[in-house]
DNA sequence: CATAGTGTTATAGTTAACTATAACACTATG
DNA sequence: CATAGTGTTATAGTTAACTATAACACTATG
């Protein structure tokens, strides 16, 4: 939500209790997740008021997630792509060039 | 290992006990994972002998994993790429076109 | 002060996955 | 049969994450 701009910097996060109710989950579970955001320096907690998106959170998140994605997730995704014999073409255009025709349409 | 051809069809999987020892893990845990492969029809169990890669397993796996990847994983990866302001094009072709130059080299 | 909304802490219980250990069932080999 | 290697089942214990419930602490508002 922060990355997508749904939550701007300074905005309050939906309250622990509301999220807990909406997802039928224990408030403690929500709180713990929110605390992780605090630990990452993205969110700050103001007792009695709520939890708020920190100034600069979006850039911090963007940089951090970019790094994590490029160094950890993407390499693994690339391995999978390679293992499955997929091509960049297959993935980007919804119109794959006619490659080797498949034996059968399986379903 | 099956996709990469390390395990050919008909080959025995490393025994439950060996894997358990190698990864310092309970044999039951390994067994359960192997059972999942049996449930997927990729592997068959021969009591007293071992677990073996089924004939046709590689193609079955290839088709199944292709579908799973294209329908589930890749869309999510694309969302992340988009959210992070990265380009799938740049990531797939290793030769990124010169796009907007970044403000700073961060480190 | 009372109220209604926040985050926070505490205590006890539940659950799924995993561990530890032992024993059982089966097969090829000699 | 004995042996050594397989998969399999059973029992009890451990652990991390989550749940249920209640209470505490704080803030803006009236």
């Amino acid at each position: 939500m922060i990355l997508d701009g749904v939550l701007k910097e300074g905005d309050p996060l939906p309250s622990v209790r509301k999220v807990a109710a909406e997802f039928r989950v224990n408030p403690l579970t929500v709180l713990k997740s929110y605390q992780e955001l605090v630990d990452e320096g993205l969110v700050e907690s103001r007792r009695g008021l709520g939890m708020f998106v920190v100034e600069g959170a979006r850039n911090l998140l963007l940089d951090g997630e970019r790094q994590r994605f490029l160094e950890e997730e993407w390499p693994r995704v690339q391995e999978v792509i390679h293992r499955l014999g997929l091509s960049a073409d297959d993935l980007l255009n919804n119109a794959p060039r006619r490659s080797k025709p498949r034996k059968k349409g399986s379903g």
Side-chain angles (χ1 to χ4, degrees), chain A residues 68-79:
Chain A
R68 185 198 61 77
F69 179 78
L70 290 173
E71 290 181 1
E72 292 175 29
E73 188 168 352
W74 182 242
R76 276 201 300 269
V77 170
Q78 271 185 313
E79 273 182 27

Side-chain angles (χ1 to χ4, degrees), chain A residues 13-16 19 30-38 43 51:
Chain A
L13 274 62
S15 91
V16 164
V19 174
V30 180
L31 180 63
K32 280 182 189 165
S33 303
Y34 275 17
Q35 297 280 21
E36 290 183 22
L37 298 179
V38 174
V43 159
M51 318 251 323

Side-chain angles (χ1 to χ4, degrees), chain A residues 2-3 40 42 56-71:
Chain A
I2 294 175
L3 283 175
E40 293 174 49
L42 299 170
R58 190 167 184 281
N59 270 334
L60 194 64
L61 191 51
L62 211 48
D63 287 355
E65 287 296 288
R66 271 213 198 95
Q67 182 171 345
R68 185 198 61 77
F69 179 78
L70 290 173
E71 290 181 1

Side-chain angles (χ1 to χ4, degrees), chain A residues 21-107:
Chain A
E22 179 175 359
F23 294 99
R24 300 255 183 85
V25 135
N26 196 294
L28 248 179
T29 307
V30 180
L31 180 63
K32 280 182 189 165
S33 303
Y34 275 17
Q35 297 280 21
E36 290 183 22
L37 298 179
V38 174
D39 292 344
E40 293 174 49
L42 299 170
V43 159
E44 70 181 359
S45 165
R46 294 191 216 140
R47 202 173 231 217
L49 296 180
M51 318 251 323
F52 299 81
V53 178
V54 148
E55 214 64 26
R58 190 167 184 281
N59 270 334
L60 194 64
L61 191 51
L62 211 48
D63 287 355
E65 287 296 288
R66 271 213 198 95
Q67 182 171 345
R68 185 198 61 77
F69 179 78
L70 290 173
E71 290 181 1
E72 292 175 29
E73 188 168 352
W74 182 242
R76 276 201 300 269
V77 170
Q78 271 185 313
E79 273 182 27
V80 173
I81 291 173
H82 181 253
R83 237 195 298 274
L84 296 177
L86 295 170
S87 81
D89 233 40
D90 293 345
L91 294 171
L92 289 175
N93 319 325
N94 240 356
R97 311 174 174 283
R98 57 189 101 71
S99 51
K100 297 177 196 169
R102 289 272 152 266
K103 283 185 190 172
K104 283 185 181 182
S106 66

